[in-house]
Amino acid sequence: ANRNLESFSYSVSHDLRAPLRSIEGFSALLLQEYGNAIPPGGKTLVEKTRQSTVKMAELIDAILEFSRTSRRDLRREEVDMKALAEDVLNEQLATQHGRQVKVEMGGLPPCWADRVLIRQVVQNLLSNALKFSRRRETPHISLGSFFEGTRCVYYVRDNGVGFDMAYRNHLFKVFERLHDSKDFEGTGIGLAIVENIITRHGGSVWLESDIDKGCTCYFTFGESEGKGIS
């Protein structure tokens, strides 16, 4: 039933793209060809229509991404988490346009997981950490791990705006957001993808935060997945 639902959501999202492109294209053509004849108020409405199509396209892309991660068969292998995290971090920092970001990276043991999907987990978590800490004079991002018995727990920590823990159960739901999109861009699906991937690996993911005191995201792949602190 889940696979049928995922296939349905993928098909619907894919089929929505064509009419959406038409709406955006015709709106742009309307402004280009007849813009001088349209009153200012009309131009504003057309531009808002175009902005809405862009937003809807982002949501469709998010649905497709969620569906892809749900449909992909797991291909487990030993993953060098430290090398993977460093690679993703360098990519993310390259988009910060000169911002000075303080980064601390502790031990990250290798794990037995799907490399492509785990890369997406790290990418989503680092992207969130950088996004929600960008208003700090010096954004501070930490990556590391620790052991609880034989279970290795990885974490990504930031010194950003944080959130009220009373709403933590909403964060892993598709399209749920605790911050206004005018303040922080995004579709509200990143953490849902993270939880989906980690759960498929037999692990768990959870958050700890407080308003204006940053956030830490923890995740694990289950018992005996870490191979020893590097």
Side-chain angles (χ1 to χ4, degrees):
N2 284 337
R3 285 188 176 276
N4 288 337
L5 183 60
E6 290 159 8
S7 179
F8 174 75
S9 65
Y10 182 88
S11 299
V12 170
S13 300
H14 187 272
D15 292 342
L16 284 174
R17 284 173 168 272
L20 192 62
R21 283 195 296 267
S22 295
I23 295 172
E24 199 283 329
F26 287 134
S27 298
L29 190 60
L30 179 63
L31 289 176
Q32 180 180 334
E33 297 293 332
Y34 304 101
N36 293 333
I38 302 176
K43 288 184 179 180
T44 299
L45 292 175
V46 174
E47 188 56 42
K48 286 186 176 181
T49 299
R50 294 189 64 195
Q51 292 173 3
S52 294
T53 62
V54 171
K55 179 63 177 176
M56 186 173 179
E58 291 176 351
L59 294 175
I60 289 174
D61 287 341
I63 293 174
L64 289 173
E65 191 62 41
F66 185 80
S67 180
R68 275 193 290 267
T69 58
S70 299
R71 289 156 55 90
R72 176 186 169 91
D73 292 332
L74 292 183
R75 301 164 189 170
R76 290 179 181 265
E77 60 181 302
E78 186 172 287
V79 179
D80 185 336
M81 285 292 283
K82 191 174 184 68
L84 184 148
E86 288 175 344
D87 187 39
V88 173
L89 183 61
N90 288 334
E91 287 182 0
Q92 295 284 334
L93 292 178
T95 68
Q96 297 304 301
H97 308 296
R99 287 174 63 210
Q100 297 300 313
V101 181
K102 182 180 179 181
V103 178
E104 293 182 7
M105 186 174 295
L108 294 171
C111 64
W112 188 254
D114 186 301
R115 183 184 303 274
V116 173
L117 293 181
I118 296 309
R119 181 183 180 87
Q120 190 165 9
V121 167
V122 176
Q123 185 173 345
N124 284 356
L125 294 182
L126 284 175
S127 177
N128 275 354
L130 288 167
K131 175 169 64 177
F132 292 113
S133 63
R134 70 184 177 200
R135 293 183 176 178
R136 301 305 190 201
E137 184 176 349
T138 304
H140 187 184
I141 309 298
S142 301
L143 300 91
S145 65
F146 57 90
F147 276 87
E148 290 183 341
T150 59
R151 185 177 75 159
C152 180
V153 179
Y154 302 90
Y155 65 83
V156 177
R157 179 176 296 128
D158 65 69
N159 65 336
V161 296
F163 63 89
D164 187 339
M165 285 289 285
Y167 301 100
R168 64 185 180 277
N169 292 332
H170 294 272
L171 289 170
F172 294 109
K173 296 179 180 179
V174 176
F175 299 139
E176 289 280 354
R177 292 173 55 90
L178 298 186
H179 303 93
D180 197 307
S181 59
K182 295 179 181 178
D183 298 322
F184 297 100
E185 71 284 354
T187 59
I189 203 169
L191 286 177
I193 290 176
V194 167
E195 184 187 46
N196 179 272
I197 292 172
I198 295 299
T199 300
R200 292 188 63 201
H201 280 79
S204 56
V205 56
W206 65 98
L207 300 168
E208 291 183 0
S209 181
D210 202 353
I211 297 174
D212 205 38
K213 293 184 180 180
C215 174
T216 304
C217 182
Y218 302 92
F219 62 96
T220 179
F221 300 105
E223 297 292 329
S224 302
E225 294 294 353
K227 309 299 182 181
I229 296 291
S230 57

